[in-house]
Amino acid sequence: MQEEIFENLINGLMDEQFGTVPNFITPELAAALRAQLLEYYESGKMFPAGVGQHTNYTRTEKVRGDVIKWLEKENSPAEKAFMKHIEAFIEYLNRSCYTGINAYEFHFARYEEGSFYKRHRDQFQTDQGRKFSLVTYLNEDWTSEDEGQLIIYRDDREIAILPESGRATFFRSDEIDHEVRPTRRARLSIAGWLKRV
């Protein structure tokens, strides 16, 4: 079952330039990660995100409005379980597609009502290490009325993906323009990158 989910993500990437599946993580893990994110948020451990890297890093609410906290294996059982799942996906991706991924990084993200992230790509101009982007959603009972869709720009199309709990979306960091549309309620996710360093 796990490898079938991984295969569906990869097939979507190969066929449509992005893959998305509704059950990348179990409902139990999604609930545990959601609780962990909310605990970090309520205890003041999440901070405004920015754009760029190193000396080019800036915080600007005109571009993005989320607060983040980087995941670490030693922080909680839920984070450890998520990273173990990511490592299994990387092992399958490397075995089936010879991608050479040897590192990863992920952060929790919370978008407040009305916040967004304008159209962008995930790879830095000065660092080509990010090869694939992977976003996993933690939102309970999300509907189209809540908005906050991930928009994938592919050729002349805009594909809207609802950030439903357990769903993941996977695409190349250097090829796909995307954005987060303004959300009508707090929007929770884990965003990250599979890297070759």
Side-chain angles (χ1 to χ4, degrees):
M1 180 63 176
Q2 177 176 267
E3 290 197 349
E4 182 180 338
I5 291 168
F6 294 166
E7 189 68 21
N8 287 339
L9 272 183
I10 294 167
N11 286 340
L13 179 84
M14 303 297 284
D15 296 341
E16 297 289 333
Q17 296 182 306
F18 74 96
T20 187
V21 293
N23 52 352
F24 181 67
I25 57 175
T26 65
E28 294 78 14
L29 181 55
L33 289 163
R34 181 166 52 251
Q36 185 65 69
L37 186 160
L38 293 172
E39 180 183 318
Y40 286 143
Y41 179 76
E42 290 162 7
S43 61
K45 294 180 180 176
M46 299 183 75
F47 299 96
V51 295
Q53 184 185 38
H54 305 310
T55 57
N56 293 324
Y57 178 85
T58 56
R59 290 180 177 170
T60 171
E61 291 183 359
K62 293 179 181 179
V63 176
R64 66 186 295 185
D66 54 328
V67 293
I68 67 169
K69 182 173 188 323
W70 293 97
L71 273 73
E72 299 178 41
K73 280 185 183 178
E74 61 271 18
N75 278 355
S76 73
E79 288 169 87
K80 186 173 182 178
F82 180 78
M83 290 188 174
K84 185 176 179 182
H85 190 61
I86 293 300
E87 288 163 3
F89 179 52
I90 290 171
E91 190 278 329
Y92 185 83
L93 183 66
N94 284 341
R95 178 163 40 91
S96 60
C97 300
Y98 308 102
T99 56
I101 297 301
N102 59 8
Y104 60 87
E105 59 186 2
F106 285 85
H107 64 66
F108 287 115
R110 177 185 169 113
Y111 288 80
E112 294 295 342
E113 181 180 350
S115 62
F116 54 86
Y117 194 162
K118 288 191 174 178
R119 183 172 175 168
H120 65 285
R121 290 189 186 181
D122 283 346
Q123 193 177 78
F124 298 118
Q125 293 181 353
T126 57
D127 180 353
Q128 308 300 305
R130 291 178 175 178
K131 300 303 177 185
F132 301 98
S133 301
L134 180 64
V135 186
T136 306
Y137 301 106
L138 306 175
N139 304 294
E140 279 189 297
D141 303 320
W142 200 269
T143 70
S144 58
E145 288 75 27
D146 296 316
E147 300 183 7
Q149 297 93 336
L150 174 70
I151 304 298
I152 298 281
Y153 291 93
R154 186 178 174 276
D155 302 323
D156 58 349
R157 292 189 295 148
E158 296 181 11
I159 297 118
I161 298 168
L162 274 183
E164 302 160 311
S165 185
R167 176 173 290 281
T169 303
F170 177 59
F171 52 90
R172 292 186 185 276
S173 301
D174 64 339
E175 292 182 2
I176 297 296
D177 283 9
H178 58 287
E179 70 172 294
V180 175
R181 290 275 167 84
T183 182
R184 298 186 69 176
R185 66 179 173 105
R187 178 188 189 275
L188 313 178
S189 63
I190 297 175
W193 302 276
L194 309 186
K195 303 171 70 176
R196 193 161 61 234
V197 298

